Amino acid sequence: MDGAELAEALKPLIGHSFPLTDKPRTNGSTLRKLIEELFVDNPTETAAADDYKVVPYRKKGIPRLLNIVADSYIVTSGNSYNLQVWNRFPNSRNVLVRYSNKEKITCKDIRLILTKVDTDDKTIKSIIVCTPQYIEKKFGKFGVPTMKYQLIISPNSRTAITGSKDKVLYNPDTTVVSALTVNQVNLTGKSIGDAPEKGNMLSLESIKNKVAKQLIGMKLPAKDTKTRGQMLEREVSKLLGYSDVETLVGGYPDIPHQLLEIKVQDSPTVDLGKYSPSNAIVINEELQVTTEDVRYLIALANPSSGTIEGLVISPGSELGDTFTFINETSFKCQRSIPMSFFDEHEGGSLFNP
């Protein structure tokens, strides 16, 4: 059901008694049970267990009310309400659930059910069903916590790539970057540290054609992952046509001129640092390029021999469809909402009012 239909279905809860306690988890559980009871007689259609896959590591960020694609929140008293969304970036395209028919549920699809409960008479006064997009448009963007990100490449995913015909998982550029790229360009005299510019960026397909065959089978030094990564950066830069490959940038992405990030995977976990496609932020204001647009070249190296056995060449936006983004600890994205907003809509159950 769409958001308006969901708000309509929740109307019977307006005026319903609500036994508030001093335990937030108990209150949250009580609200979810009330909502679930509304759908007992008219249950929502749910997919069979074999027809979908939960993507996030340890199911973090999956909504508690997955059958109606929503999370519920209790609003009580004060001058403002601090909305806290745990373990997902509310208005992002990060995939949470992937179905066998290729459909998916992303973070931005999760509706937020904000339920105002009067602390005096303990009854539900209003219900606002809203989207993350609505929240950000009306009240401003969610706060983004500082954290370090990781990518999990499972043994099955790795084997599927290294066992394929060309040993490469390839996805084309995003629409944003595609408009900036060309298929051929002379990079002699250019520096990998130069700012990206339209007409001097190779398409991701051209990058694949220039480096894939030369890198597959190449042996990286039997040293730490950082040293291997630096050697790979130099080799990729040389294959792309840069004349000066000794001086590395050390920022993000590794080759700014091509918006290309280089990684070596010799264990299931790939350290992404403080930037990740799972948190889409603008890294180039002039070109309006985000972390989702940055291109990733991940070398699947044998941990013992250092031999590159496969490659991932893809924009960041596509990595979550095959692999799993994780962060080291639980996190929350917060947005303050004036209490007057809920008072304005007392007595109603509304969608994106």
Side-chain angles (χ1 to χ4, degrees), residues 291-328:
T291 48
E292 290 186 322
D293 299 307
V294 169
R295 289 92 69 82
Y296 282 76
L297 188 154
I298 305 174
L300 309 182
N302 184 293
S304 301
S305 66
T307 302
I308 297 176
E309 301 175 332
L311 293 173
V312 175
I313 301 176
S314 171
S317 60
E318 300 297 322
L319 293 179
D321 281 349
T322 305
F323 312 119
T324 302
F325 291 111
I326 65 171
N327 49 282
E328 295 176 344

mmCIF file of all heavy atoms in Angstrom, residues 291-328:
data_model
loop_
_atom_site.group_PDB
_atom_site.id
_atom_site.type_symbol
_atom_site.label_atom_id
_atom_site.label_comp_id
_atom_site.label_asym_id
_atom_site.label_seq_id
_atom_site.Cartn_x
_atom_site.Cartn_y
_atom_site.Cartn_z
ATOM 1 N N THR A 291 29.708 10.223 -3.573
ATOM 2 C CA THR A 291 30.416 8.970 -3.334
ATOM 3 C C THR A 291 29.794 7.818 -4.114
ATOM 4 O O THR A 291 30.453 6.802 -4.343
ATOM 5 C CB THR A 291 30.411 8.628 -1.835
ATOM 6 O OG1 THR A 291 29.078 8.780 -1.330
ATOM 7 C CG2 THR A 291 31.333 9.545 -1.057
ATOM 8 N N GLU A 292 28.540 7.949 -4.527
ATOM 9 C CA GLU A 292 27.917 6.913 -5.358
ATOM 10 C C GLU A 292 28.457 6.945 -6.786
ATOM 11 O O GLU A 292 28.453 5.931 -7.482
ATOM 12 C CB GLU A 292 26.398 7.081 -5.396
ATOM 13 C CG GLU A 292 25.707 6.750 -4.085
ATOM 14 C CD GLU A 292 24.195 6.785 -4.215
ATOM 15 O OE1 GLU A 292 23.687 7.672 -4.946
ATOM 16 O OE2 GLU A 292 23.532 5.936 -3.620
ATOM 17 N N ASP A 293 28.911 8.121 -7.232
ATOM 18 C CA ASP A 293 29.421 8.270 -8.595
ATOM 19 C C ASP A 293 30.880 7.849 -8.739
ATOM 20 O O ASP A 293 31.335 7.532 -9.847
ATOM 21 C CB ASP A 293 29.292 9.730 -9.046
ATOM 22 C CG ASP A 293 27.853 10.210 -9.049
ATOM 23 O OD1 ASP A 293 27.005 9.541 -9.662
ATOM 24 O OD2 ASP A 293 27.579 11.260 -8.415
ATOM 25 N N VAL A 294 31.621 7.888 -7.635
ATOM 26 C CA VAL A 294 33.032 7.504 -7.675
ATOM 27 C C VAL A 294 33.167 6.073 -8.204
ATOM 28 O O VAL A 294 32.394 5.185 -7.847
ATOM 29 C CB VAL A 294 33.664 7.616 -6.273
ATOM 30 C CG1 VAL A 294 35.042 6.963 -6.228
ATOM 31 C CG2 VAL A 294 33.756 9.078 -5.863
ATOM 32 N N ARG A 295 34.156 5.873 -9.089
ATOM 33 C CA ARG A 295 34.376 4.545 -9.665
ATOM 34 C C ARG A 295 35.338 3.751 -8.768
ATOM 35 O O ARG A 295 36.319 4.294 -8.263
ATOM 36 C CB ARG A 295 34.975 4.661 -11.070
ATOM 37 C CG ARG A 295 34.002 5.174 -12.117
ATOM 38 C CD ARG A 295 34.005 6.663 -12.316
ATOM 39 N NE ARG A 295 35.218 7.177 -12.945
ATOM 40 C CZ ARG A 295 35.437 7.164 -14.274
ATOM 41 N NH1 ARG A 295 34.524 6.704 -15.096
ATOM 42 N NH2 ARG A 295 36.547 7.669 -14.782
ATOM 43 N N TYR A 296 35.052 2.476 -8.599
ATOM 44 C CA TYR A 296 35.874 1.597 -7.761
ATOM 45 C C TYR A 296 36.517 0.510 -8.609
ATOM 46 O O TYR A 296 35.861 -0.138 -9.425
ATOM 47 C CB TYR A 296 35.030 0.940 -6.662
ATOM 48 C CG TYR A 296 34.739 1.862 -5.502
ATOM 49 C CD1 TYR A 296 33.779 2.869 -5.610
ATOM 50 C CD2 TYR A 296 35.433 1.757 -4.298
ATOM 51 C CE1 TYR A 296 33.515 3.733 -4.561
ATOM 52 C CE2 TYR A 296 35.181 2.622 -3.241
ATOM 53 C CZ TYR A 296 34.220 3.605 -3.377
ATOM 54 O OH TYR A 296 33.963 4.460 -2.337
ATOM 55 N N LEU A 297 37.825 0.327 -8.400
ATOM 56 C CA LEU A 297 38.540 -0.803 -8.971
ATOM 57 C C LEU A 297 39.079 -1.615 -7.798
ATOM 58 O O LEU A 297 39.944 -1.138 -7.061
ATOM 59 C CB LEU A 297 39.685 -0.337 -9.872
ATOM 60 C CG LEU A 297 40.404 -1.425 -10.676
ATOM 61 C CD1 LEU A 297 41.033 -0.848 -11.940
ATOM 62 C CD2 LEU A 297 41.481 -2.147 -9.861
ATOM 63 N N ILE A 298 38.499 -2.774 -7.598
ATOM 64 C CA ILE A 298 38.886 -3.637 -6.480
ATOM 65 C C ILE A 298 39.548 -4.889 -7.037
ATOM 66 O O ILE A 298 38.928 -5.651 -7.799
ATOM 67 C CB ILE A 298 37.666 -4.030 -5.621
ATOM 68 C CG1 ILE A 298 36.924 -2.775 -5.139
ATOM 69 C CG2 ILE A 298 38.109 -4.882 -4.435
ATOM 70 C CD1 ILE A 298 35.627 -3.065 -4.412
ATOM 71 N N ALA A 299 40.805 -5.087 -6.678
ATOM 72 C CA ALA A 299 41.539 -6.269 -7.133
ATOM 73 C C ALA A 299 41.351 -7.401 -6.132
ATOM 74 O O ALA A 299 41.630 -7.233 -4.943
ATOM 75 C CB ALA A 299 43.020 -5.937 -7.280
ATOM 76 N N LEU A 300 40.864 -8.541 -6.604
ATOM 77 C CA LEU A 300 40.671 -9.707 -5.750
ATOM 78 C C LEU A 300 41.966 -10.513 -5.761
ATOM 79 O O LEU A 300 42.244 -11.280 -6.685
ATOM 80 C CB LEU A 300 39.498 -10.557 -6.270
ATOM 81 C CG LEU A 300 38.195 -9.784 -6.541
ATOM 82 C CD1 LEU A 300 37.099 -10.730 -7.014
ATOM 83 C CD2 LEU A 300 37.745 -9.020 -5.299
ATOM 84 N N ALA A 301 42.794 -10.263 -4.739
ATOM 85 C CA ALA A 301 44.135 -10.853 -4.698
ATOM 86 C C ALA A 301 44.169 -12.090 -3.815
ATOM 87 O O ALA A 301 43.528 -12.140 -2.761
ATOM 88 C CB ALA A 301 45.145 -9.824 -4.186
ATOM 89 N N ASN A 302 44.922 -13.085 -4.252
ATOM 90 C CA ASN A 302 45.134 -14.274 -3.432
ATOM 91 C C ASN A 302 45.919 -13.866 -2.186
ATOM 92 O O ASN A 302 46.996 -13.267 -2.298
ATOM 93 C CB ASN A 302 45.906 -15.325 -4.234
ATOM 94 C CG ASN A 302 46.072 -16.625 -3.477
ATOM 95 O OD1 ASN A 302 46.776 -16.684 -2.469
ATOM 96 N ND2 ASN A 302 45.438 -17.669 -3.968
ATOM 97 N N PRO A 303 45.412 -14.154 -0.984
ATOM 98 C CA PRO A 303 46.082 -13.685 0.234
ATOM 99 C C PRO A 303 47.485 -14.250 0.422
ATOM 100 O O PRO A 303 48.317 -13.624 1.086
ATOM 101 C CB PRO A 303 45.136 -14.144 1.353
ATOM 102 C CG PRO A 303 44.317 -15.237 0.754
ATOM 103 C CD PRO A 303 44.180 -14.905 -0.696
ATOM 104 N N SER A 304 47.763 -15.411 -0.155
ATOM 105 C CA SER A 304 49.087 -16.031 0.009
ATOM 106 C C SER A 304 50.068 -15.588 -1.057
ATOM 107 O O SER A 304 51.155 -15.090 -0.761
ATOM 108 C CB SER A 304 48.958 -17.562 -0.006
ATOM 109 O OG SER A 304 48.112 -18.008 1.027
ATOM 110 N N SER A 305 49.677 -15.740 -2.318
ATOM 111 C CA SER A 305 50.592 -15.450 -3.416
ATOM 112 C C SER A 305 50.571 -13.992 -3.851
ATOM 113 O O SER A 305 51.526 -13.504 -4.457
ATOM 114 C CB SER A 305 50.252 -16.337 -4.618
ATOM 115 O OG SER A 305 48.976 -15.994 -5.146
ATOM 116 N N GLY A 306 49.460 -13.283 -3.564
ATOM 117 C CA GLY A 306 49.325 -11.900 -4.013
ATOM 118 C C GLY A 306 48.862 -11.781 -5.455
ATOM 119 O O GLY A 306 48.709 -10.674 -5.973
ATOM 120 N N THR A 307 48.614 -12.899 -6.110
ATOM 121 C CA THR A 307 48.167 -12.883 -7.501
ATOM 122 C C THR A 307 46.743 -12.341 -7.614
ATOM 123 O O THR A 307 45.847 -12.756 -6.869
ATOM 124 C CB THR A 307 48.213 -14.300 -8.109
ATOM 125 O OG1 THR A 307 49.552 -14.804 -8.015
ATOM 126 C CG2 THR A 307 47.779 -14.289 -9.568
ATOM 127 N N ILE A 308 46.533 -11.428 -8.536
ATOM 128 C CA ILE A 308 45.199 -10.874 -8.761
ATOM 129 C C ILE A 308 44.377 -11.898 -9.546
ATOM 130 O O ILE A 308 44.701 -12.221 -10.692
ATOM 131 C CB ILE A 308 45.259 -9.533 -9.511
ATOM 132 C CG1 ILE A 308 45.995 -8.487 -8.658
ATOM 133 C CG2 ILE A 308 43.855 -9.032 -9.853
ATOM 134 C CD1 ILE A 308 46.191 -7.142 -9.352
ATOM 135 N N GLU A 309 43.323 -12.394 -8.922
ATOM 136 C CA GLU A 309 42.521 -13.454 -9.515
ATOM 137 C C GLU A 309 41.217 -12.957 -10.128
ATOM 138 O O GLU A 309 40.518 -13.699 -10.823
ATOM 139 C CB GLU A 309 42.210 -14.514 -8.456
ATOM 140 C CG GLU A 309 43.470 -15.140 -7.862
ATOM 141 C CD GLU A 309 43.185 -16.093 -6.723
ATOM 142 O OE1 GLU A 309 42.149 -15.908 -6.039
ATOM 143 O OE2 GLU A 309 43.991 -17.034 -6.514
ATOM 144 N N GLY A 310 40.873 -11.702 -9.871
ATOM 145 C CA GLY A 310 39.656 -11.133 -10.430
ATOM 146 C C GLY A 310 39.595 -9.651 -10.137
ATOM 147 O O GLY A 310 40.386 -9.117 -9.341
ATOM 148 N N LEU A 311 38.652 -8.948 -10.769
ATOM 149 C CA LEU A 311 38.509 -7.507 -10.595
ATOM 150 C C LEU A 311 37.046 -7.120 -10.449
ATOM 151 O O LEU A 311 36.168 -7.739 -11.057
ATOM 152 C CB LEU A 311 39.088 -6.755 -11.801
ATOM 153 C CG LEU A 311 40.593 -6.794 -12.052
ATOM 154 C CD1 LEU A 311 40.902 -6.137 -13.396
ATOM 155 C CD2 LEU A 311 41.351 -6.092 -10.931
ATOM 156 N N VAL A 312 36.819 -6.088 -9.652
ATOM 157 C CA VAL A 312 35.522 -5.420 -9.593
ATOM 158 C C VAL A 312 35.754 -4.012 -10.123
ATOM 159 O O VAL A 312 36.584 -3.272 -9.591
ATOM 160 C CB VAL A 312 34.969 -5.359 -8.155
ATOM 161 C CG1 VAL A 312 33.669 -4.556 -8.122
ATOM 162 C CG2 VAL A 312 34.753 -6.763 -7.609
ATOM 163 N N ILE A 313 35.058 -3.654 -11.203
ATOM 164 C CA ILE A 313 35.177 -2.327 -11.797
ATOM 165 C C ILE A 313 33.767 -1.770 -11.894
ATOM 166 O O ILE A 313 32.972 -2.195 -12.738
ATOM 167 C CB ILE A 313 35.849 -2.387 -13.183
ATOM 168 C CG1 ILE A 313 37.254 -3.007 -13.060
ATOM 169 C CG2 ILE A 313 35.926 -1.001 -13.808
ATOM 170 C CD1 ILE A 313 37.968 -3.199 -14.379
ATOM 171 N N SER A 314 33.443 -0.829 -11.009
ATOM 172 C CA SER A 314 32.051 -0.435 -10.866
ATOM 173 C C SER A 314 31.922 0.919 -10.180
ATOM 174 O O SER A 314 32.747 1.275 -9.338
ATOM 175 C CB SER A 314 31.310 -1.490 -10.027
ATOM 176 O OG SER A 314 30.012 -1.075 -9.681
ATOM 177 N N PRO A 315 30.868 1.679 -10.524
ATOM 178 C CA PRO A 315 30.576 2.871 -9.709
ATOM 179 C C PRO A 315 30.118 2.427 -8.328
ATOM 180 O O PRO A 315 29.563 1.326 -8.166
ATOM 181 C CB PRO A 315 29.452 3.564 -10.483
ATOM 182 C CG PRO A 315 28.806 2.485 -11.273
ATOM 183 C CD PRO A 315 29.912 1.534 -11.627
ATOM 184 N N GLY A 316 30.330 3.266 -7.351
ATOM 185 C CA GLY A 316 29.968 2.906 -5.985
ATOM 186 C C GLY A 316 28.511 2.570 -5.815
ATOM 187 O O GLY A 316 28.135 1.742 -4.983
ATOM 188 N N SER A 317 27.637 3.214 -6.600
ATOM 189 C CA SER A 317 26.196 3.010 -6.464
ATOM 190 C C SER A 317 25.769 1.577 -6.697
ATOM 191 O O SER A 317 24.712 1.151 -6.223
ATOM 192 C CB SER A 317 25.441 3.923 -7.437
ATOM 193 O OG SER A 317 25.817 3.636 -8.772
ATOM 194 N N GLU A 318 26.583 0.804 -7.435
ATOM 195 C CA GLU A 318 26.211 -0.576 -7.776
ATOM 196 C C GLU A 318 26.830 -1.617 -6.843
ATOM 197 O O GLU A 318 26.443 -2.783 -6.898
ATOM 198 C CB GLU A 318 26.627 -0.888 -9.216
ATOM 199 C CG GLU A 318 25.998 0.006 -10.269
ATOM 200 C CD GLU A 318 24.493 -0.143 -10.319
ATOM 201 O OE1 GLU A 318 23.995 -1.269 -10.155
ATOM 202 O OE2 GLU A 318 23.802 0.885 -10.525
ATOM 203 N N LEU A 319 27.762 -1.224 -6.008
ATOM 204 C CA LEU A 319 28.461 -2.201 -5.175
ATOM 205 C C LEU A 319 27.523 -2.894 -4.189
ATOM 206 O O LEU A 319 27.668 -4.086 -3.907
ATOM 207 C CB LEU A 319 29.603 -1.534 -4.410
ATOM 208 C CG LEU A 319 30.777 -1.022 -5.251
ATOM 209 C CD1 LEU A 319 31.816 -0.361 -4.357
ATOM 210 C CD2 LEU A 319 31.412 -2.155 -6.055
ATOM 211 N N GLY A 320 26.546 -2.159 -3.662
ATOM 212 C CA GLY A 320 25.635 -2.725 -2.676
ATOM 213 C C GLY A 320 24.713 -3.783 -3.236
ATOM 214 O O GLY A 320 24.082 -4.529 -2.477
ATOM 215 N N ASP A 321 24.602 -3.874 -4.570
ATOM 216 C CA ASP A 321 23.746 -4.891 -5.173
ATOM 217 C C ASP A 321 24.390 -6.269 -5.128
ATOM 218 O O ASP A 321 23.703 -7.277 -5.259
ATOM 219 C CB ASP A 321 23.425 -4.531 -6.626
ATOM 220 C CG ASP A 321 22.342 -3.477 -6.728
ATOM 221 O OD1 ASP A 321 21.699 -3.187 -5.699
ATOM 222 O OD2 ASP A 321 22.137 -2.935 -7.827
ATOM 223 N N THR A 322 25.710 -6.306 -4.997
ATOM 224 C CA THR A 322 26.422 -7.586 -4.995
ATOM 225 C C THR A 322 27.104 -7.863 -3.666
ATOM 226 O O THR A 322 27.172 -9.013 -3.232
ATOM 227 C CB THR A 322 27.485 -7.605 -6.113
ATOM 228 O OG1 THR A 322 26.852 -7.308 -7.368
ATOM 229 C CG2 THR A 322 28.159 -8.979 -6.211
ATOM 230 N N PHE A 323 27.587 -6.814 -3.027
ATOM 231 C CA PHE A 323 28.334 -6.968 -1.784
ATOM 232 C C PHE A 323 27.583 -6.305 -0.627
ATOM 233 O O PHE A 323 26.506 -5.756 -0.814
ATOM 234 C CB PHE A 323 29.730 -6.376 -1.932
ATOM 235 C CG PHE A 323 30.432 -6.814 -3.191
ATOM 236 C CD1 PHE A 323 30.833 -5.893 -4.144
ATOM 237 C CD2 PHE A 323 30.656 -8.163 -3.439
ATOM 238 C CE1 PHE A 323 31.458 -6.292 -5.319
ATOM 239 C CE2 PHE A 323 31.287 -8.584 -4.600
ATOM 240 C CZ PHE A 323 31.687 -7.643 -5.545
ATOM 241 N N THR A 324 28.175 -6.344 0.565
ATOM 242 C CA THR A 324 27.501 -5.830 1.762
ATOM 243 C C THR A 324 28.318 -4.723 2.410
ATOM 244 O O THR A 324 29.486 -4.928 2.756
ATOM 245 C CB THR A 324 27.285 -6.970 2.786
ATOM 246 O OG1 THR A 324 26.525 -8.012 2.183
ATOM 247 C CG2 THR A 324 26.546 -6.448 4.011
ATOM 248 N N PHE A 325 27.707 -3.549 2.557
ATOM 249 C CA PHE A 325 28.337 -2.457 3.287
ATOM 250 C C PHE A 325 28.084 -2.650 4.779
ATOM 251 O O PHE A 325 26.977 -2.981 5.193
ATOM 252 C CB PHE A 325 27.747 -1.110 2.883
ATOM 253 C CG PHE A 325 28.093 -0.677 1.493
ATOM 254 C CD1 PHE A 325 27.112 -0.624 0.506
ATOM 255 C CD2 PHE A 325 29.385 -0.309 1.159
ATOM 256 C CE1 PHE A 325 27.420 -0.213 -0.781
ATOM 257 C CE2 PHE A 325 29.707 0.095 -0.121
ATOM 258 C CZ PHE A 325 28.718 0.142 -1.094
ATOM 259 N N ILE A 326 29.109 -2.428 5.576
ATOM 260 C CA ILE A 326 28.927 -2.472 7.028
ATOM 261 C C ILE A 326 29.706 -1.327 7.651
ATOM 262 O O ILE A 326 30.547 -0.698 7.014
ATOM 263 C CB ILE A 326 29.391 -3.810 7.652
ATOM 264 C CG1 ILE A 326 30.910 -3.986 7.495
ATOM 265 C CG2 ILE A 326 28.650 -4.986 7.075
ATOM 266 C CD1 ILE A 326 31.464 -5.169 8.270
ATOM 267 N N ASN A 327 29.403 -1.041 8.894
ATOM 268 C CA ASN A 327 30.179 -0.090 9.669
ATOM 269 C C ASN A 327 30.571 -0.764 10.981
ATOM 270 O O ASN A 327 29.973 -1.766 11.377
ATOM 271 C CB ASN A 327 29.387 1.189 9.938
ATOM 272 C CG ASN A 327 28.005 0.896 10.457
ATOM 273 O OD1 ASN A 327 27.112 0.539 9.686
ATOM 274 N ND2 ASN A 327 27.805 1.008 11.759
ATOM 275 N N GLU A 328 31.558 -0.233 11.624
ATOM 276 C CA GLU A 328 32.138 -0.918 12.774
ATOM 277 C C GLU A 328 31.204 -0.959 13.976
ATOM 278 O O GLU A 328 31.218 -1.887 14.756
ATOM 279 C CB GLU A 328 33.467 -0.246 13.152
ATOM 280 C CG GLU A 328 34.537 -0.399 12.068
ATOM 281 C CD GLU A 328 35.807 0.352 12.401
ATOM 282 O OE1 GLU A 328 35.763 1.217 13.293
ATOM 283 O OE2 GLU A 328 36.840 0.077 11.773
#
